[in-house]
Amino acid sequence: MAGMVALWQKRAVRVWVRRAVGVLLLLGMVWQVWRQQDLPQWWVRFVEALHQPGHVGMLVVGVLLMPLNWWLEAAKWRVLMWHRYRPSWGDTVQAVLAGISVSLLTPNRVGEYGGRALVVPAEQLVTVVATSVLGSLCQWVVFVGLGWPALMHRLGQWGQWGGFFTGLAMVSVPLMLVVVLLFGRHFLDMAMRWRWLNGKRWWRWLRIKALVLTRLRRRQLWVALALAGGRYGVYALQYLLFLWFFNASMELWEGLSGIFAIYLIQAGLPLPPGLGVLTRSELALWMWGKTLVTPAGVLAATFGLYVLNLVLPALPGAWLIARREG
């Protein structure tokens, strides 16, 4: 790892890697969009929805929320870096866009960290990656903290569980997350002092770099969590607006709670067998029923949100990576 960091600090290596990655990203994004077999059908459904009364307003609001979504992500990441590295807002946004570009072509969007590292100063590589991972964990905490109560509420309604049991199931996981947040830094400090690992060279190197996280103030984490919650709320509202645009008919809370639960299931948590392998359209039908959504409408909304929130910001991100010289 240390050797890779040293290699990356060579300017010529960074320039050629960025140019190659930028070109590959642009080609990969074009291929990803055009390989969609239902793209012509999606366009037909989009035009039909566009001509229905009131639907233009839903689309406009959903589109306008996209910059807010990524501004909240940039703000969350910037807060976590304040103790070591304070980039300008312009540099932060550029790094976030670069991360979106690389994440599109990597499993589970893990390339987001590397994409950000491509456009920040080489000496800040470790700080950028460490704080990006921590930012993702904050987002995951919000993801589970909102999704678990929503899912338990739904299951409680369908299974007619007792009120006490449903309430207990709803708050159990969020309470555990709060405990981890309150005492997680203490456990990290303990891990830094494990003697049986002191003789390992890689551990000594990692321990020095992990100080990036142990020096974080608790206030930074709480602000990052609040921004992560705001961002997830914006994203869920965008998805609901797109579902409404494609003729879904659920109410606001019913739609948002269903979205929270669906994305929790898709996150791959240990849930009942077979639940995690369902497609998003099947999950939506299971959650809301055929009277509120249709598979075609769910797929159209999902693809539309994918293009808006990921493909469009990824295009300037790829260009930023390719043109960067430092």
Side-chain angles (χ1 to χ4, degrees), residues 278-292:
L278 299 175
T279 65
R280 187 169 301 175
S281 59
E282 290 171 327
L283 283 171
L285 290 173
W286 174 71
M287 190 66 60
W288 293 304
K290 293 182 179 180
T291 58
L292 300 182

Side-chain angles (χ1 to χ4, degrees), residues 120-143:
V120 298
E123 63 272 14
Q124 299 297 338
L125 175 63
V126 173
T127 299
V128 166
V129 173
T131 51
S132 295
V133 172
L134 185 59
S136 295
L137 289 175
C138 289
Q139 200 67 56
W140 184 85
V141 167
V142 172
F143 193 68

Side-chain angles (χ1 to χ4, degrees), residues 111-192:
E112 185 174 17
Y113 316 133
R116 293 179 182 182
L118 285 170
V119 296
V120 298
E123 63 272 14
Q124 299 297 338
L125 175 63
V126 173
T127 299
V128 166
V129 173
T131 51
S132 295
V133 172
L134 185 59
S136 295
L137 289 175
C138 289
Q139 200 67 56
W140 184 85
V141 167
V142 172
F143 193 68
V144 176
L146 291 175
W148 182 261
L151 180 60
M152 291 299 103
H153 176 68
R154 290 278 180 166
L155 293 177
Q157 286 182 323
W158 296 331
Q160 298 181 344
W161 300 346
F164 173 78
F165 181 73
T166 301
L168 181 63
M170 288 173 65
V171 303
S172 58
V173 172
L175 281 177
M176 286 189 287
L177 292 176
V178 170
V179 171
V180 171
L181 289 173
L182 290 176
F183 300 102
R185 181 171 174 176
H186 174 68
F187 294 140
L188 184 59
D189 289 337
M190 290 177 58
M192 292 297 100

